[in-house]
Amino acid sequence: MGEGLWRWFVAGVLAAFLAGCQTTPRLPALTAEQVQVLRAHGFETQEDGAWALLMPSKLLFAVDSDQLNVQQAGYVAALAKDLRQVGIQTVRVEGHTDDTGAPAYNQQLSERRAQRVADQLVHGGLPASGISIRGWGNSKPLPMVQGQGARQENRRVSIIIPAPVAP
């Protein structure tokens, strides 16, 4: 092996070795207490490390409505209190609609639904600065839901606890 080729070989081996030594910074994990509260409320982990509330029946809306009923409002306030008590103060609220109506109207309705739930989370004690909202209109229907029931299940709001970030 020539000297130039040998140097390239050694450089490649060193580069591979150094790449293997690099570690992706580990994100701080949620505490056992935080995980327990999330699971008790029906949250499940997602591929990206976030936790999503996957019990849509708790936050379904009537046709053309952004109003929470008394039971839903109480649930969201209790959820906010429980999250705050375990130190979770950052949430993302995502509103959705069914496939009826004009896309522009559905977008606005989904944003109003998300805002309504966010307002209730604030009422329950979470800081407004830790809540982000997003409306998806009808662009993200639930994957396994079909038929007439799909419309009702898609008039929902999802609450997501983002994946923890490195300090």
Side-chain angles (χ1 to χ4, degrees), residues 35 37-46 50-55 75 79 83 91-92 158-161:
V35 169
V37 165
L38 292 174
R39 286 199 173 134
H41 280 282
F43 284 83
E44 293 183 15
T45 56
Q46 305 299 292
W51 287 76
L53 182 61
L54 297 179
M55 297 174 65
Y75 169 75
L79 172 63
L83 294 176
V91 301
R92 188 172 67 240
S158 302
I159 298 175
I160 291 115
I161 309 303

Side-chain angles (χ1 to χ4, degrees), residues 22-98:
Q22 293 179 354
T23 59
T24 304
R26 299 285 300 162
L27 300 177
L30 294 173
T31 67
E33 184 181 26
Q34 289 171 327
V35 169
Q36 182 180 11
V37 165
L38 292 174
R39 286 199 173 134
H41 280 282
F43 284 83
E44 293 183 15
T45 56
Q46 305 299 292
E47 288 180 16
D48 65 357
W51 287 76
L53 182 61
L54 297 179
M55 297 174 65
S57 61
K58 293 189 180 202
L59 293 173
L60 295 180
F61 290 80
V63 174
D64 195 29
S65 173
D66 64 0
Q67 299 299 308
L68 291 169
N69 65 36
V70 173
Q71 182 181 2
Q72 291 169 320
Y75 169 75
V76 173
L79 172 63
K81 179 182 171 204
D82 289 349
L83 294 176
R84 188 186 75 236
Q85 285 181 340
V86 295
I88 296 174
Q89 297 186 22
T90 303
V91 301
R92 188 172 67 240
V93 182
E94 297 182 349
H96 302 271
T97 65
D98 62 25

